[in-house]
Amino acid sequence: MRLFQLDRIGDRPRLTEADCPAPAVGEVRVRIAACGLNFADLLTIEGRYQEHPPLPATLGMELAGTVDALGEGVDPGLLGTRVAVFAGSGGLAEAGCFPATRCLPLPETMSFIEAAGFQIAYGTSHVALSHKARLAPGETLLVTGAAGGVGLTAVEIGKAMGATVIACARGADRLEVAREAGADHLIDSDAGDLRAAVLALGGADVVYDPVGGPLFAEAMRTCRPDGRLLAIGFASGEVPQIKANHLLVKNLSVIGLYWGGYLAFRPEVLTDSLATLFRWHAEGRLHPHVSHVLPLERAAEGLELLRQRKATGKVVIAMH
């Protein structure tokens, strides 16, 4: 089988071949159809992600495919099942072995391409907005990086939860993608003075920020009293430093979220959230946006699209 492998931190990953693996106790083997790319894949290559898979490592954090072999102790009913898997690594390959407990059967309404990029982006936004920020109907949500992989899902989910959504993104084309996802108001991040633009709309109750850097500080100044700021990631490459006295004056809360971290101590938060999201998708309430589908031999190109912020929504690698 072919796989996209990182040999050493900082090296360029390479397409190589290996024998198809056999599942261990409690595992299934998945014939992988598609793998979603994430900004975290870039951080893993650079050694800057919070988790460090043992090297050499097959990249690709989330995938979808069909179970084609079972390890000892696994429910025989899983054989032949279409599943999505949040694996952490191993997705950019034609097959892989993963714990059966990580496999989520797919609704008939969801394609492999949609499923491959669904869990992390939609899961992050739903847990952030519902479980962490307690976004309520009628509140105003500001989303920065609103045309990116997670930002676009925050726009869509915020709208589904009954919020007024302000989308901030770079350029008219990216803002149009956010508008199509349900954004009520659009702000070009290159236009300057985000604070004035949001305050003119009444301010934000919740800020969803996957960008970090100076934009986080600017977004914080848009908050109404008792506002909540979600620190989702740092696509700008700069981790913002927060002045606690600014939080105090307006009774603000800054809330961090590492979606995958819940697997270690409260996995039911993720499973309950994903059950809701799969139901919403089946009901036609969610419409995953995939801007690029590329073959495995062009995985490096897909990662570069993320690095240069040339993608909207998700970039997905299709194995065949």
Side-chain angles (χ1 to χ4, degrees):
M1 69 173 192
R2 298 180 303 158
L3 61 156
F4 193 63
Q5 181 173 284
L6 176 67
D7 294 316
R8 292 190 305 175
I9 295 298
D11 280 1
R12 186 185 299 272
R14 63 190 179 94
L15 189 64
T16 185
E17 294 188 356
D19 292 335
C20 199
V25 175
E27 290 186 339
V28 300
R29 185 175 67 205
V30 177
R31 183 65 60 179
I32 298 171
C35 176
L37 299 186
N38 290 277
F39 193 78
D41 291 310
L42 296 174
L43 298 179
T44 298
I45 294 169
E46 298 165 3
R48 296 195 293 129
Y49 193 55
Q50 53 259 42
E51 293 187 4
H52 304 279
L55 299 176
T58 303
L59 295 172
M61 303 181 72
E62 57 179 337
L63 60 105
T66 303
V67 175
D68 74 346
L70 307 177
E72 184 181 342
V74 175
D75 178 2
L78 274 177
L79 192 63
T81 302
R82 299 168 68 251
V83 296
V85 185
F86 170 62
S89 62
L92 285 172
E94 292 177 322
C97 294
F98 310 101
T101 54
R102 294 283 186 97
C103 296
L104 291 174
L106 295 180
E108 293 182 3
T109 56
M110 188 177 289
S111 70
F112 284 134
I113 295 298
E114 289 180 318
F118 189 87
Q119 290 184 89
I120 293 176
Y122 278 96
T124 294
S125 293
H126 185 254
V127 171
L129 296 174
S130 178
H131 179 71
K132 301 291 279 186
R134 310 290 183 188
L135 179 68
E139 289 192 314
T140 296
L141 168 67
L142 169 63
V143 180
T144 66
V150 291
L152 197 60
T153 63
V155 171
E156 194 173 10
I157 290 172
K159 195 63 183 171
M161 293 176 66
T164 296
V165 180
I166 304 172
C168 175
R170 180 176 296 168
D173 290 345
R174 298 175 73 80
L175 286 171
E176 176 59 22
V177 172
R179 187 195 64 76
E180 291 174 357
D184 298 285
H185 305 286
L186 308 175
I187 296 174
D188 192 330
S189 58
D190 286 339
D193 209 347
L194 174 65
R195 176 176 179 265
V198 175
L199 290 181
L201 296 169
D205 297 293
V206 174
V207 172
Y208 181 102
D209 178 48
V211 178
L215 194 62
F216 181 93
E218 201 173 348
M220 186 169 70
R221 299 177 67 204
T222 72
C223 283
R224 295 170 176 166
D226 213 21
R228 291 90 75 200
L229 296 95
L230 291 156
I232 302 299
F234 315 107
S236 67
E238 182 180 337
V239 178
Q241 303 303 302
I242 301 162
K243 294 184 177 181
N245 60 316
H246 292 181
L247 304 180
L248 181 152
V249 170
K250 293 177 71 176
N251 287 297
L252 303 182
S253 301
V254 176
I255 307 167
L257 175 67
Y258 166 37
W259 181 80
Y262 273 100
L263 282 171
F265 67 100
R266 286 193 64 191
E268 72 278 5
V269 171
L270 302 191
T271 54
D272 290 350
S273 169
L274 287 169
T276 297
L277 291 167
F278 279 158
R279 186 179 75 251
W280 286 1
H281 182 277
E283 293 170 353
R285 298 173 64 185
L286 301 177
H287 305 278
H289 178 84
V290 178
S291 65
H292 296 79
V293 179
L294 301 172
L296 183 58
E297 57 268 23
R298 294 174 63 187
E301 180 183 333
L303 289 170
E304 197 59 27
L305 287 169
L306 296 188
R307 189 189 307 277
Q308 297 183 18
R309 300 193 204 179
K310 291 184 176 179
T312 56
K314 294 294 291 189
V315 176
V316 172
I317 302 301
M319 300 306 149
H320 298 288

